[in-house]
């Protein structure tokens, strides 16, 4: 049965060919513009090829400020690129990739490639095991490789490849009639259309002066840009990251082709509508609302591309500029010591060099040395095509300086990060404690990841492929994250794959960033939907350069089963049933998890297999699962200790803690003596400083911010021979 775009794309009932050159030039160009007088004259004489060439000459003249660089700037860019960058790794990679693309060997994503020999492109195949690969094929991220290789070498084979490829694509994929295939993951799904609007212009301008880029194909691509603009204007998304990409593409197309009659309206519409969608996507603290650092980066890209373009064209970036700087700050803190973004939500392994490039752009835009410290010493090759040669000297003079802050809290977006320092081997923790909106968010409230020794030691299970199968359902579930499952259910009830309700409500109650320790305290309310509501709170105490203490607290009245999950990296892990310690057995960097007794008969600790997704591949990894059945309030205490090759000796015993002479229960305070090989620490976390049940009212709705109670420091806490008036007590290097 023929029901999809792939089968019906050449059926005139469902798709339509491009206009003729004459019809397009006569009806779609604003021939009243003075610079188009030559086009109008040729049309009046009936010389259609002459009219076409006259229009192409207008673009080649480069007097309108249509892109990051003009056609007339390309020769200068080519000379500069070849002289400054030709020997650099990024430039050489572009040439190597472009050579493969010329041979029909095209990179997709997650390490996958597809080969089309002799120009026999198949744009609508189901590639590998996911529609995502076909979508990436048709979004043309890779054509920038051709353009940059051409700039470095001057080899016309790259221009010819682009010319032939884009001509084939346009002919083989006509525009649908109305919204026939709008809901389908196909070549003309509205997101792919919007992405092409900003992926293709760099090659369009770079190759414009090449003899291998044929005039007929140039106009064919211009007509396609117009069709894409029409489609996005009518069928763009109503929210989420898609609409940001689509309207960004519409704005860039309007600037790229100001001679189109529709461009003025597109520019006005995009300028009017996009700010509202950006505010919808990005919270005031700079965090994108989908609970995924990857999609934070995607929306941030829309802003930094527009801000950079507006800067080049002398346009006012308005509120975009201030918000973008906040997004750069968030990105800075979400960069783990291995140079990757932490993998909350739909986030996969990134290309580290591209992350460095992004921070370099932030350094240039905002003249910030801390951004540059996470970027490159010299202006990266990829940024040459956005900021131009004149920016290189200014960038090179900017002094890099490691960020002063080693911890950060983004209370609205829901990220807390804490690190020993900014070196590759430093300890690092990130916690997810915010509401995620849309299908890219996972049920991961209060999940955390831990790094030490240059690697991820407590891992997130990753994004998975976007097929609604058992693997994807696992990766978005609560049990796939380093948090707690209550009574076997996810923290929030997911409906269809993408049309899912927001994730569990969260509240970050307190953060304390000190010289000796960092402390985080947050709660999640996903399980308050139960008849007997359960509130899960998590406290993480980072003793600098040494270990993390993780305390999970539960407020409930009845009996519930709590399953705490900790996901270890792929490899071997060992379990000592006597000490209740689980440790990895990896090279150089490892993690010890020590589970303190809860004093319950039903307290099981097991190792079971889980899945970790990276770059298109699911791998099995060990998962530590602790299961307890508890009636009423409860506390689960875990020590996480990183180590090298030799597992350390660690012991922990509970200490008494009193308030006003009354002995406090383990649900009211966690008091421990932790003995390491080099010292003894005495720690007390007081748990009654905030009434976590006050976050919701009697109807189950969140209390207004102004009415929420604030933390109350305790009085007269008797611990370790002292009297304290604070809820976090750390006595380091004490004598046993």
């Amino acid at each position: 049965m023929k029901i999809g775009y792939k089968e019906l794309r050449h059926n005139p009932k469902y798709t339509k060919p491009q206009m003729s050159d004459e019809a397009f030039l006569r009806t779609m160009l604003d021939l009243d513009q003075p610079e188009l007088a030559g086009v109008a004259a040729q049309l009046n004489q009936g010389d259609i090829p002459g009219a076409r060439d006259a229009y192409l000459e207008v673009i080649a003249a480069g007097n309108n400020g249509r892109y990051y660089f003009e056609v007339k700037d390309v020769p200068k860019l080519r000379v500069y690129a070849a002289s400054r960058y030709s020997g650099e790794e990024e430039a050489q990679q572009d040439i190597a990739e472009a050579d493969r693309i010329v041979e029909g060997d095209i990179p997709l994503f997650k390490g996958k490639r597809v080969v089309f020999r002799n120009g026999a492109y198949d744009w609508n195949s189901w590639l590998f095991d996911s529609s995502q690969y076909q979508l990436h094929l048709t979004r043309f991220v890779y054509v920038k490789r051709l353009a940059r290789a051409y700039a470095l070498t001057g080899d016309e084979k790259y221009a010819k490849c682009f010319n032939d490829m884009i001509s084939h694509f346009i002919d083989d994929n006509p525009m649908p009639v109305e919204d026939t295939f709008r809901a389908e993951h196909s070549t003309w799904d509205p997101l792919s259309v919007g992405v092409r609007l900003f992926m293709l212009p760099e090659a369009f301008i770079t190759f414009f002066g090449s003899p291998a880029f044929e005039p007929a194909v140039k106009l064919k691509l211009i007509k396609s840009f117009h069709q894409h603009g029409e489609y996005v204007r009518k069928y763009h998304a109503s929210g989420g990251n898609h609409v940001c990409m689509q309207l960004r593409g519409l704005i860039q197309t309007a600037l790229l082709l100001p001679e189109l009659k529709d461009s003025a309206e597109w520019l006005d519409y995009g300028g009017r509508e996009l700010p509202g969608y950006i505010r919808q996507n990005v919270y005031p603290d700079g965090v994108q609302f989908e609970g995924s650092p990857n999609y934070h980066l995607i929306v941030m890209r829309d802003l930094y591309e527009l801000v950079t373009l507006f800067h080049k064209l002398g346009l006012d970036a308005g509120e975009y500029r201030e918000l973008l700087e906040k997004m750069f700050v968030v990105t800075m803190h979400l960069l783990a010591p291995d140079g990757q973004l932490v993998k909350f939500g739909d986030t996969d392994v990134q290309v580290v060099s591209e992350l460095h490039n992004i921070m370099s752009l932030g350094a240039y835009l905002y003249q910030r040395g801390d951004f540059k410290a996470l970027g490159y010493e010299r202006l990266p090759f990829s940024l040459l095509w956005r900021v131009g040669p004149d920016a290189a000297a200014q960038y090179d003079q900017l002094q890099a300086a490691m960020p002063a802050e080693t911890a950060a809290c983004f209370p609205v977006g829901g990220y807390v990060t804490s690190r020993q320092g900014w070196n590759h081997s430093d300890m690092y923790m990130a916690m997810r404690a915010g509401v995620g909106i849309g299908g890219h968010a996972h049920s991961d409230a209060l999940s955390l990841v831990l790094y030490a020794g240059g690697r991820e030691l407590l891992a997130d299970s990753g994004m998975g492929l976007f097929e609604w199968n058992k693997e994807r359902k696992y990766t978005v579930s609560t049990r796939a994250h380093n948090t707690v499952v209550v009574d076997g259910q996810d923290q929030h009830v997911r409906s269809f794959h993408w049309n899912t309700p927001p994730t569990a409500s969260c509240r970050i109650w307190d953060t304390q960033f000190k010289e000796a320790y960092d402390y985080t305290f947050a709660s999640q309310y996903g399980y308050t939907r139960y008849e007997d509501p359960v509130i899960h709170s998590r406290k993480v105490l980072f003793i600098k350069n040494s270990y993390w203490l993780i305390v999970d607290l539960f407020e409930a009245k009845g009996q519930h089963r709590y399953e705490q999950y900790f996901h270890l990296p792929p490899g071997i892990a060992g379990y000592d049933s006597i000490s209740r310690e689980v440790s990895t057995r990896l090279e150089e960097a490892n993690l010890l998890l020590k589970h303190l007794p809860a004093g319950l008969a039903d307290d099981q600790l097991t190792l079971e297999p889980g899945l970790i997704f990276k770059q298109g591949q699911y791998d099995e990894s060990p998962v530590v699962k602790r299961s307890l059945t508890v009636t009423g309030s409860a506390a689960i205490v875990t020590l996480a200790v990183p180590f090298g090759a030799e597992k350390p000796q660690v012991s922990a015993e509970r200490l008494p803690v009193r308030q006003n002479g009354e002995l406090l229960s383990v649900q009211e305070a966690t008091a421990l003596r932790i003995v390491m090989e080099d010292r003894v620490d005495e720690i007390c976390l007081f748990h009654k400083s905030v009434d976590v049940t006050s976050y919701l009212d009697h109807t189950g709705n969140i209390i207004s911010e102004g009415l929420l109670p604030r933390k109350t420091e305790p009085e007269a806490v008797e611990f370790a021979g002292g009297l304290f008036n604070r809820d976090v007590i750390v006595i380091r290097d004490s004598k046993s």
Side-chain angles (χ1 to χ4, degrees), residues 310-344:
F310 288 177
H311 177 71
K312 291 288 290 184
L313 301 184
L315 303 175
D316 182 14
E319 64 185 275
Y320 296 153
R321 185 174 175 85
E322 180 181 352
L323 188 59
L324 175 61
E325 185 174 13
K326 292 181 180 180
M327 297 188 80
F328 270 110
V329 171
V330 173
T331 302
M332 178 174 73
H333 286 287
L334 292 180
L335 286 172
D338 63 355
Q340 292 285 339
L341 285 173
V342 292
K343 298 173 189 66
F344 293 130

Side-chain angles (χ1 to χ4, degrees), residues 418 420 427 515-519 540-549 639-640 642 674 676 679 681-683 685 728-733:
S418 168
Q420 172 184 339
M427 295 173 67
E515 183 178 354
Y517 67 84
D518 290 337
Y519 166 76
V540 181
L541 181 69
F542 171 34
I543 300 298
K544 297 287 181 71
N545 310 344
S546 190
Y547 58 87
W548 295 275
L549 175 64
L639 270 176
I674 299 172
M676 310 286 287
R679 67 176 188 280
D681 294 341
E682 292 178 331
I683 293 170
L685 302 181
V728 179
I729 304 167
V730 176
I731 305 171
R732 301 200 64 182
D733 298 324

Side-chain angles (χ1 to χ4, degrees), residues 55 83 168 214 269 377 383 435 460 472 484 669:
Y55 177 39
S83 64
H168 186 285
E214 301 166 6
Y269 181 80
E377 183 179 352
L383 295 191
V435 176
D460 190 277
R472 171 66 175 170
V484 179

Side-chain angles (χ1 to χ4, degrees), residues 348-518:
D348 198 8
V349 175
Q350 307 282 319
V351 178
V352 173
S353 62
E354 292 182 3
L355 295 173
H356 289 330
N357 289 343
I358 289 167
M359 295 310 298
S360 293
L361 179 58
Y364 170 73
L365 289 175
Y366 297 99
Q367 291 296 291
R368 288 187 55 156
D370 53 349
F371 292 171
K372 186 173 183 179
L374 302 178
Y376 286 111
E377 183 179 352
R378 293 206 318 162
L379 186 78
F381 176 61
S382 64
L383 295 191
L384 177 65
W385 311 101
R386 293 296 176 266
V387 298
D390 294 341
Q394 184 181 358
Y395 180 85
D396 292 351
Q397 291 171 4
L398 179 64
Q399 294 298 310
M402 283 297 177
E405 301 83 11
T406 57
C409 175
F410 304 99
V412 185
Y415 294 121
V416 182
T417 67
S418 168
R419 67 179 80 219
Q420 172 184 339
W422 291 89
N423 294 319
H424 176 73
S425 60
D426 286 340
M427 295 173 67
Y428 172 85
M429 182 278 292
M431 177 190 262
R432 177 84 190 116
V435 176
I437 306 296
H440 294 300
H442 294 188
S443 288
D444 61 354
L446 307 191
S447 182
L448 52 85
V449 292
L450 303 178
Y451 287 73
R455 68 172 300 159
E456 187 182 41
L457 295 177
L458 202 59
D460 190 277
S461 290
M463 64 187 292
L465 291 170
F466 294 164
E467 311 309 317
W468 201 218
N469 53 25
K470 65 178 182 179
E471 290 84 7
R472 171 66 175 170
K473 291 173 183 176
Y474 171 79
T475 59
V476 302
S477 71
T478 303
R479 71 185 186 280
H481 299 88
N482 301 309
T483 185
V484 179
V485 172
V486 179
D487 296 335
Q489 300 296 311
D490 284 342
Q491 293 165 345
H492 87 290
V493 179
R494 202 175 184 107
S495 56
F496 291 111
H497 192 189
W498 299 118
N499 299 324
T500 184
T503 62
S505 295
C506 293
R507 173 72 177 184
I508 299 173
W509 293 106
D510 191 19
T511 56
Q512 299 178 32
F513 303 142
K514 309 287 187 180
E515 183 178 354
Y517 67 84
D518 290 337

Side-chain angles (χ1 to χ4, degrees), residues 32 99 113 178 301 308 311 331 398 495 567 585 644 706 712:
D32 291 332
D99 286 342
R113 309 183 72 93
E178 301 300 334
R301 179 189 63 187
T308 306
H311 177 71
T331 302
L398 179 64
S495 56
H567 294 256
R585 297 173 183 173
T712 302

